[in-house]
Amino acid sequence: MTQNEGHEDEEFLPTGEAAIDSYPNWLKFHIGVNRYELYSRHNPAIEALLQDLATQKITSVAMKSGGTQLKLIMTFQNYGQALFKPMKQTREQETPPDFFYFSDYERHNAEIAAFHLDRILDFRRVPPVAGRLVNMTREIRDVTRDKKLWRTFFISPANNICFYGECSYYCSTEHALCGKPDQIEGSLAAFLPDLSLAKRKTWRNPWRRSYHKRKKAEWEVDPDYCEEVKQTPPYDSGTRILDIMDMTIFDFLMGNMDRHHYETFEKFGNETFIIHLDNGRGFGKYSHDELSILVPLNQCCRIRKSTYQRLQLLAKEEFKLSDLMEESLTKDKVAPILYKLHLEAMDRRLRIVLKAISDCIEKEGYDNVVETDFVADVNTITTKR
């Protein structure tokens, strides 16, 4: 094979580099999205993108409409965009016991930690997220053209710059975000490809909570609820039920109760992964393990072999989940990301997950519980792209 064979369509720039090498990292990330994962295990653009999120110059800011809590869309000098969630709680603060899951704060550090956890679990279904200290004056107020946002800036009695934006929860003078004097910490999550290029489908999570102070959801009262789900498309074929199990374990390890809907890329139909978006309500309590999050796994008794093996590995002393998380998170600009007790809680919850799986195996037999999945290298797959 000659050197240039197979590269006929590759465009070379005057500098001698292939066109893709000159793309910004956010675009390299978008191009790498496929049917099986958001990014490949060794994609160098991901580390570079995390660096960009933390350092690229912010050129404009607008409020994201629709959410219950304040989020900002930030645009960078290289035209990349990210979703900014501001810091609301300190690392060691727990969600108050009388708070409902649906009125809990969204935590910026939970978004960061969720990206790292998802990657350690080998899912790669969370878009890259990095922490950043933002100057509220120079990097938000002075670059926004959003009048509604701009109008909510004020100087507090303590002489700090504050703003509160517009949203349905916690957007008022009493819940204002104040700098010290004008620095604010937050998380920046890389945008997925634009919806005009890659439409996404929103699905109602079969195990969603009632979002009501008194009502229970059907899965909470019917122990055979999973049988019903498994007879309903898209859960009656393909890998979707196994994807829900992965998501369930991911959420349980974080303590995230707020998974009412999920999204997939429309182009890939039903044979594709669930995108693990919006993880800000994880890591709220380290002193309590919310066992109800694990109900889908207990009811369905199904798991991918690759997920099961990864969990067993992370329970070993030499690959301990909390150690890997701590090591991974130290690279973030606003580290430490998680309070030590949250790291310890993950090891404890992992043991609970493994116990649930072994109970299932004892009850139903290994082959009925553990599904041997397709573990070929994604890079060698050319068919269903």
Side-chain angles (χ1 to χ4, degrees), residues 131-148:
R132 178 167 178 157
L133 276 171
V134 172
N135 182 303
M136 290 162 68
T137 315
R138 282 202 321 276
E139 297 182 302
I140 301 178
R141 194 191 65 185
D142 295 352
V143 296
T144 189
R145 290 189 286 280
D146 189 330
K147 282 280 187 291
K148 285 180 177 172

Side-chain angles (χ1 to χ4, degrees), residues 33-103:
V33 174
N34 61 64
R35 178 184 290 277
Y36 304 100
E37 56 195 5
L38 283 178
Y39 55 92
S40 62
R41 197 176 285 144
H42 304 296
N43 183 349
I46 301 304
E47 283 306 323
L49 177 55
L50 291 171
Q51 191 60 29
D52 285 352
L53 291 168
T55 57
Q56 269 269 326
K57 185 180 176 180
I58 297 162
T59 55
S60 78
V61 175
M63 277 187 297
K64 184 182 191 301
S65 57
T68 54
Q69 300 186 32
L70 180 75
K71 303 176 189 72
L72 302 177
I73 295 170
M74 294 190 163
T75 306
F76 302 115
Q77 202 162 17
N78 67 0
Y79 304 105
Q81 287 189 305
L83 192 64
F84 178 81
K85 288 191 180 180
M87 173 168 166
K88 297 259 180 65
Q89 284 178 307
T90 62
R91 303 290 195 271
E92 58 284 344
Q93 270 176 311
E94 281 199 283
T95 300
D98 292 328
F99 262 45
F100 280 99
Y101 52 90
F102 46 81
S103 52

